[in-house]
Amino acid sequence: MNDTIENITCPACGKTMHKVYMQESGSALDVCLDGCGGIFFDGQELKHFDEHSENIDELKNALEGKNFEKTDETQTRICPVCGNNMVKNNVSIKKEITIDECYNCGSKFFDHGELTKMREQYATEKDRQQDFLASTYEEIGSKIDALELQNQMNRANRSRFLKLLDKVFLGR
Ligand SMILES: [Zn+2]
Ligand SMILES: [Zn+2]
């Protein structure tokens, strides 16, 4: 997907976002410099900026020294590109960072500070994937444990039930 050419409206605070030109990737990011400090990525833009090693100096410079408005992060946001409701998603397995994502056009919105936080958590994409795998295994593991427990309970109940039948019908 191409960059949005028009200035877009911030999905969090409604202010007009500014274009910040990023040298390394050659793309322009939409940043809410007059409002909440949020960053909007259209389409696949984010993959150029989510790793610690990728350069975001222009973005840092643009955001530096400014005070940004607080926004209500629990509110459902509307994608400024296509008008669909955005969905809250964890970008970090550690689950401290929730961003807004548009499943229709692939855009993502980061509240102020979230991108830096995410970049700091993992040095590389590989680290992130490993963490993701580890936590997925953990989750599946606990599901299997729960299932096993349920099976055992079912079995226990069945044997109790059979004993009851024995008692009722055979008087044992
Ligand atoms: Zn904003
Ligand atoms: Zn969209």
Side-chain angles (χ1 to χ4, degrees):
M1 182 160 294
N2 291 325
D3 270 353
T4 44
I5 302 189
E6 306 277 307
N7 279 346
I8 57 173
T9 305
C10 175
C13 73
K15 297 258 164 46
T16 301
M17 298 183 93
H18 291 253
K19 299 281 176 197
V20 174
Y21 184 73
M22 306 296 288
Q23 189 95 43
E24 205 173 82
S25 67
S27 56
L29 294 182
D30 297 279
V31 188
C32 188
L33 293 178
D34 294 336
C36 66
I39 308 163
F40 186 82
F41 295 91
D42 28 89
Q44 298 299 308
E45 264 177 357
L46 176 63
K47 68 172 189 295
H48 300 296
F49 307 107
D50 58 352
E51 284 178 31
H52 196 63
S53 57
E54 286 157 334
N55 184 325
I56 54 163
D57 285 349
E58 294 95 338
L59 187 63
K60 279 186 191 152
N61 290 342
L63 292 168
E64 207 180 82
K66 289 197 170 66
N67 284 319
F68 295 110
E69 289 170 22
K70 273 245 155 265
T71 58
D72 180 2
E73 293 185 23
T74 61
Q75 223 169 44
T76 300
R77 287 155 180 179
I78 313 288
C79 174
V81 174
C82 71
N84 277 269
N85 280 359
M86 300 183 88
V87 179
K88 310 258 172 224
N89 250 331
N90 292 307
V91 284
S92 154
I93 297 309
K94 288 158 190 153
K95 308 215 176 202
E96 295 145 359
I97 309 168
T98 307
I99 63 156
D100 293 86
E101 210 171 332
C102 175
Y103 286 164
N104 187 48
C105 71
S107 297
K108 293 174 181 66
F109 180 79
F110 283 71
D111 287 290
H112 180 55
E114 285 178 342
L115 180 68
T116 342
K117 239 202 242 173
M118 183 184 86
R119 287 165 48 95
E120 279 164 2
Q121 270 185 349
Y122 306 109
T124 64
E125 184 61 31
K126 208 170 143 220
D127 289 350
R128 193 204 322 284
Q129 279 168 1
Q130 261 161 8
D131 188 20
F132 181 75
L133 280 181
S135 91
T136 308
Y137 284 137
E138 215 171 90
E139 224 163 272
I140 292 173
S142 61
K143 273 194 192 125
I144 290 174
D145 287 349
L147 215 69
E148 186 50 36
L149 188 68
Q150 204 172 21
N151 281 340
Q152 280 175 9
M153 271 162 59
N154 286 345
R155 245 175 277 143
N157 283 339
R158 199 159 47 225
S159 71
R160 219 176 297 148
F161 179 67
L162 290 176
K163 270 186 204 134
L164 184 72
L165 284 185
D166 279 354
K167 207 179 268 177
V168 170
F169 293 106
L170 306 170
R172 284 199 279 214

